[in-house]
Amino acid sequence: MPYLTISGKKIYYEEYGIGQAPTLIYLHGGPGESCLTYTYQAKKLGETFHVISFDQYGVFRSDAVGDEPLSVNDLVQMTEQMRVALGIDSWIPLGHSFGGMLALIYAHTYPDSIDAVIYDCPMWSALHTARAIAEATLPCFERDGVSDQTALCKEILDSALSSREAFKKAMSIDMNEAVQQYCHVIENSRYNDYVNTHIPDPMVTEDCWGKFVDFRKKLFDSEDFYVDYLPYLADIVKPQLLIVGEYDMTCGRYEQKLFADNAPDGSTEILFDCAHLTWFEQPEKYTDIIVKMFSNNE
């Protein structure tokens, strides 16, 4: 399996479309999901782009997190070190969900290292993602008369909770079957079928599966996970593309409007009849949007 050694850590990565230009660097979400489920889309994008897809430090096939703390900024810095190690002059960060936070911080921190940036149902702010989840699920709880969950959602939306408090409460919202249907969350069986069909040889060993637990715990303990990074959008002068599902619960209406009003060279593509996994739910449309963005900026 291909690895890079970054800051003494082994980072698993995949590469598609070698010789193509420009380069896309895929930043997976979760936090802690791995790049495994993106493999099919990475191959499709590799027909047009040079694509780098990797498991973040502490996740799946990369080295497990050690005794040291882990921060969002650590992951951003390691991404830049990967660019240097791979000998790539500049690239396009493509971040899904939590990876969208990494993509935004990376673009803001290393503006000379990017040609553009793509956000796919991004989490730019733990506070506003918590509110987006509460906003999306509240009508279902009200409809079904679930008083405790209704009160929880209203507390997240109406009170002056800190970012950390709001996010913790949002993670405790009961995502039961009725809520998942109301919010158009895809069925696990459908997602598993997709993985089994398109990723026949994932090269996964038994020790991969539990790594994300420590990864998430340390990340959720870090202060910079709870920073509101939305103001960064206004500082990025390279093209910015927001792809968001119609029913996405991570990047809500507030974030979408703020992006539209403040990103200097920003464009938004809404994938209708999609929720959070746009690249899985409408793969051809998703690929076409990204290819079109590049062709329009040549």
Side-chain angles (χ1 to χ4, degrees), residues 1-297:
M1 292 191 287
Y3 286 92
L4 285 172
T5 299
I6 303 295
S7 298
K9 317 298 183 184
K10 289 175 62 179
I11 305 299
Y12 172 86
Y13 76 102
E14 298 174 356
E15 195 168 12
Y16 305 95
I18 297 172
Q20 303 271 30
T23 299
L24 296 176
I25 174 72
Y26 175 67
L27 304 168
H28 66 72
E33 182 181 44
S34 105
C35 70
L36 174 66
T37 54
Y38 200 74
T39 299
Y40 175 72
Q41 189 58 241
K43 290 178 179 177
K44 294 300 293 182
L45 288 169
E47 296 173 7
T48 303
F49 303 94
H50 176 210
V51 179
I52 304 292
S53 183
F54 72 103
D55 290 348
Q56 292 155 23
Y57 167 52
V59 172
F60 222 55
R61 292 158 292 190
S62 292
D63 275 353
V65 175
D67 295 332
E68 72 277 9
L70 177 70
S71 71
V72 174
N73 190 56
D74 291 335
L75 299 175
V76 171
Q77 290 184 12
M78 292 180 82
T79 302
E80 174 64 0
Q81 292 171 40
M82 286 183 63
R83 182 192 65 79
V84 175
L86 290 166
I88 296 169
D89 291 334
S90 59
W91 54 12
I92 300 172
L94 193 174
H96 173 253
S97 196
F98 167 67
M101 178 186 289
L102 298 179
L104 176 56
I105 301 169
Y106 182 89
H108 181 266
T109 307
Y110 301 105
D112 294 333
S113 296
I114 68 163
D115 301 310
V117 58
I118 303 171
Y119 314 105
D120 174 12
C121 298
M123 174 185 173
W124 289 320
S125 161
L127 174 62
H128 290 292
T129 286
R131 289 176 175 170
I133 294 170
E135 183 178 55
T137 56
L138 175 60
C140 181
F141 293 127
E142 289 181 322
R143 180 198 68 186
D144 295 343
V146 185
S147 58
D148 62 328
Q149 293 295 304
T150 296
L152 175 60
C153 290
K154 288 183 176 180
E155 182 183 8
I156 295 169
L157 290 168
D158 300 337
S159 65
L161 294 173
S162 70
S163 179
R164 186 186 291 268
E165 291 170 330
F167 186 78
K168 183 177 180 180
K169 288 181 180 293
M171 292 300 98
S172 71
I173 290 174
D174 182 13
M175 299 297 294
N176 58 46
E177 185 176 349
V179 172
Q180 292 186 44
Q181 289 180 352
Y182 181 84
C183 295
H184 302 265
V185 177
I186 64 168
E187 304 89 349
N188 285 336
S189 60
R190 186 178 159 208
Y191 192 50
N192 291 338
D193 286 346
Y194 167 84
V195 172
N196 293 331
T197 299
H198 294 297
I199 312 169
D201 184 17
M203 298 183 292
V204 175
T205 57
E206 286 297 322
D207 66 320
C208 293
W209 297 100
K211 291 181 181 179
F212 78 96
V213 176
D214 285 341
F215 173 89
R216 286 169 66 98
K217 183 180 184 304
K218 293 199 173 190
L219 202 60
F220 291 166
D221 284 342
S222 67
E223 292 297 328
D224 62 356
F225 183 80
Y226 301 100
V227 172
D228 181 359
Y229 295 105
L230 285 163
Y232 285 9
L233 293 168
D235 297 333
I236 297 168
V237 297
K238 301 288 178 64
Q240 299 182 79
L241 171 64
L242 170 61
I243 301 173
V244 64
E246 179 183 7
Y247 304 111
D248 181 48
M249 290 189 285
T250 300
C251 183
R253 290 177 292 183
Y254 175 85
E255 298 97 309
Q256 292 175 43
K257 185 177 188 307
L258 192 143
F259 176 84
D261 291 344
N262 292 278
D265 189 3
S267 58
T268 301
E269 293 281 352
I270 297 176
L271 288 181
F272 295 97
D273 298 321
C274 278
H276 191 57
L277 300 178
T278 52
W279 45 267
F280 160 70
E281 296 173 84
Q282 291 195 21
E284 292 83 9
K285 178 69 172 176
Y286 179 94
T287 306
D288 289 346
I289 288 171
I290 295 174
V291 170
K292 180 181 177 182
M293 177 201 182
F294 170 66
S295 63
N296 289 344
N297 284 283

